[in-house]
Amino acid sequence: MLVNSMSCSLADARLFPAGSCLGSVRARGVVLKGSSSRQCLKVEGRVNSIYWRSNSPRTIFKVKAVAAPVAPASADTAEHRRELCEKYGFRKIGEPLPDNVTLKDIVDTLPKEVFEIDELKSWKSFLISATAYALGLFMMAKSPWYLLPLAWAWTGTAVTGFFVIGHDCAHRSFSKNNLVQDIVGTLSFLPMIYPYEPWRFKHNLHHAKTNMLIEDTAWHPLWKDKFESSPFLRMAMIMGYGPFRLLMSIGHWGFWHFDLTKFKPQEIKRSLISWASVFTFMGFGWPLIINKMGMIGWVKLWLMPWLGYHFWMSTFTLVHHTAPHIPFRSSEDWNCAQAQINGTVHCNYPKWIEILCHDIGFHIPHHISSRIPSYNLRAAHKSLQDNWGKYMNEATWNWRLMKTLMTSCHIYDKEENYLAFEQLALPLHESLPIAFLRKVMPDYA
């Protein structure tokens, strides 16, 4: 008999004489087994109580089922992982990586050639982004108003390709010359007015502390005590982690990269140089656009592609490290290899996006070793599939996946990984944004 959606805690196992029960009762992983010789269990209603009859007809025990929080069922069977895939919009959910496997064990299985820097391929990638961006500027300048959304989508994606170029530079996988990498990285980040060096310092911490509850500098689940600290903050979190989640990287950009108190003394000089580059770009580029085309031109040629970039930045950050089955762990419980291979998601996007964004969706090999250039990520991913494929999470970008992430993954919970906002018994007006998303977002996978 299968009991769904609850967990039972049986108060005292001594109530059950040996060999006194039929078959098995299963309650989300709790199984009672025994002899099948007699009918001895009676389950009432929604399993609020279980009557247990021993071999003696005069002995009947009533055992109360105690409701307990249901921890996210571990992906311990192929059948259960398939069920989670269907529910969450994944293509594959990996098995838990054994505790004794180290990150070095995984890195050592990768072919040496995936780490090799081919500067011709690096500059080819830069040329793809530069050409796509130039084409986007032309489209925005010449398109009639009704085609502007397509021009903005293209240009925002092309700008994201520049981010990936700078991303390779920050990981020292673009060129063998670090000065070249710093110059290219700084220039590539300018259209997004992103300070390259501050981002590089913080992003390296993300790789070193992936999905570590406090130390990771990417997105975290929200803390329940902060969420409940004030109505204003609570509503801001609901909107930010709900309808505006795919623009949340704007907040991350502003919070992490323009405050010198967040950097070590030895990082401040390089951070200031990056700030100077960004403010110089703004000081010359923005007035030039406004002088020639007015504020409408500034919105049309810069702001809208910038928002498009942040859409992709937010989407990639969310998809690649967030899912109901992926935990954030405290530093005491954190395992480096598990965080990188079990806590990272490979996602396939439409082909044109993968081309313009230089295969950023092949994210697991990038977290196994950030020294792999973007143009080698596919080969590295294939190697990982051959050797470690059963531990890897894979998805194809789809509506159900995004709906799951935006409506379910909100508040940190040690047992369940995430709680949705609605699980905290919100007032009606505060629950409306997430209820709206649940209603309007398609459930196609």
Side-chain angles (χ1 to χ4, degrees):
M1 184 176 297
L2 180 64
V3 182
N4 290 320
S5 303
M6 70 170 292
S7 167
C8 290
S9 173
L10 300 178
D12 194 340
R14 292 173 296 179
L15 290 175
F16 302 100
S20 64
C21 81
L22 167 71
S24 68
V25 175
R26 187 183 304 269
R28 283 302 286 267
V30 178
V31 183
L32 307 178
K33 293 184 178 179
S35 167
S36 59
S37 61
R38 302 187 54 175
Q39 294 287 341
C40 57
L41 273 179
K42 179 181 178 183
V43 181
E44 291 191 340
R46 298 182 64 183
V47 201
N48 291 322
S49 60
I50 299 176
Y51 288 90
W52 189 281
R53 185 184 300 278
S54 74
N55 289 329
S56 168
R58 291 175 296 177
T59 306
I60 300 176
F61 300 104
K62 181 179 179 181
V63 181
K64 299 294 289 184
V66 180
V70 180
S74 61
D76 53 356
T77 67
E79 179 182 0
H80 182 61
R81 290 193 296 275
R82 283 194 296 270
E83 291 174 358
L84 292 184
C85 285
E86 176 67 20
K87 181 179 179 181
Y88 300 153
F90 275 73
R91 193 168 69 236
K92 186 180 77 171
I93 289 177
E95 301 175 17
L97 186 73
D99 291 340
N100 62 341
V101 177
T102 67
L103 188 61
K104 184 178 184 301
D105 294 333
I106 303 173
V107 172
D108 286 347
T109 66
L110 290 168
K112 288 183 172 54
E113 53 266 27
V114 302
F115 299 98
E116 294 176 0
I117 295 173
D118 184 330
E119 301 207 24
L120 184 61
K121 290 182 179 179
S122 295
W123 286 106
K124 179 183 175 182
S125 297
F126 184 89
L127 183 61
I128 289 172
S129 291
T131 303
Y133 185 52
L135 178 59
L137 291 174
F138 177 80
M139 291 166 61
M140 290 187 296
K142 299 298 183 181
S143 293
W145 66 267
Y146 53 85
L147 291 180
L148 280 175
L150 293 177
W152 290 331
W154 173 272
T155 312
T157 309
V159 169
T160 308
F162 269 133
F163 168 82
V164 179
I165 297 295
H167 178 263
D168 271 13
C169 292
H171 288 301
R172 304 314 193 201
S173 60
F174 180 85
S175 171
K176 296 174 183 177
N177 185 311
N178 283 345
L179 179 60
V180 169
Q181 298 193 113
D182 289 339
I183 293 172
V184 172
T186 298
L187 294 176
S188 296
F189 273 31
L190 287 183
M192 294 87 75
I193 57 172
Y194 230 118
Y196 167 76
E197 291 289 359
W199 178 86
R200 181 170 73 90
F201 295 138
K202 295 305 178 186
H203 185 69
N204 285 339
L205 283 176
H206 163 62
H207 277 269
K209 310 290 185 181
T210 302
N211 285 21
M212 194 179 287
L213 193 54
I214 296 174
E215 291 81 356
D216 190 351
T217 55
W219 297 357
H220 302 99
L222 297 170
W223 292 100
K224 185 178 178 181
D225 57 347
K226 289 186 178 180
F227 180 75
E228 295 178 338
S229 61
S230 79
F232 174 79
L233 184 59
R234 183 164 62 246
M235 200 65 210
M237 289 180 174
I238 290 171
M239 297 303 292
Y241 272 62
F244 292 101
R245 196 160 192 181
L246 299 186
L247 290 175
M248 275 286 286
S249 64
I250 297 174
H252 188 271
W253 160 80
F255 178 81
W256 279 106
H257 304 99
F258 293 95
D259 182 355
L260 287 180
T261 64
K262 291 181 169 63
F263 298 95
K264 300 174 183 177
Q266 64 269 29
E267 297 171 343
I268 289 179
K269 181 179 179 180
R270 297 181 74 95
S271 296
L272 288 172
I273 293 172
S274 289
W275 285 11
S277 301
V278 165
F279 294 135
T280 299
F281 176 84
M282 294 168 63
F284 283 93
W286 286 5
L288 180 63
I289 296 173
I290 294 169
N291 183 56
K292 295 290 185 182
M293 303 182 68
M295 284 300 299
I296 296 298
W298 178 81
V299 171
K300 179 179 174 180
L301 294 181
W302 184 83
L303 180 63
M304 296 308 294
W306 185 75
L307 293 175
Y309 156 73
H310 277 289
F311 166 82
W312 284 121
M313 189 68 174
S314 300
T315 298
F316 294 151
T317 304
L318 181 64
V319 169
H320 294 162
H321 294 288
T322 307
H325 68 282
I326 294 178
F328 273 73
R329 300 190 186 279
S330 66
S331 57
E332 294 80 12
D333 300 326
W334 186 76
N335 178 292
C336 181
Q338 291 172 353
Q340 309 301 357
I341 201 165
N342 288 147
T344 306
V345 176
H346 166 82
C347 188
N348 289 111
Y349 299 90
K351 188 66 176 179
W352 70 277
I353 295 171
E354 293 186 342
I355 292 172
L356 293 187
C357 296
H358 308 296
D359 289 333
I360 192 65
F362 289 76
H363 208 62
I364 298 176
H366 174 63
H367 266 265
I368 297 303
S369 176
S370 60
R371 295 184 295 111
I372 300 173
S374 57
Y375 44 80
N376 287 337
L377 289 175
R378 286 178 180 263
H381 181 77
K382 178 63 169 61
S383 175
L384 290 174
Q385 283 183 316
D386 292 342
N387 293 288
W388 306 93
K390 66 181 181 178
Y391 304 114
M392 293 165 62
N393 299 298
E394 298 183 357
T396 299
W397 195 46
N398 65 80
W399 279 108
R400 183 176 299 168
L401 175 66
M402 298 307 294
K403 186 174 185 177
T404 298
L405 302 184
M406 294 179 68
T407 63
S408 300
C409 300
H410 301 141
I411 306 291
Y412 171 72
D413 184 85
K414 187 172 183 179
E415 299 300 323
E416 299 189 47
N417 297 335
Y418 288 96
L419 296 176
F421 288 135
E422 297 98 320
Q423 292 177 260
L424 302 183
L426 299 176
L428 177 62
H429 71 282
E430 292 184 356
S431 64
L432 287 177
I434 304 302
F436 174 77
L437 290 179
R438 290 189 190 278
K439 183 175 182 179
V440 302
M441 290 186 74
D443 197 39
Y444 306 135

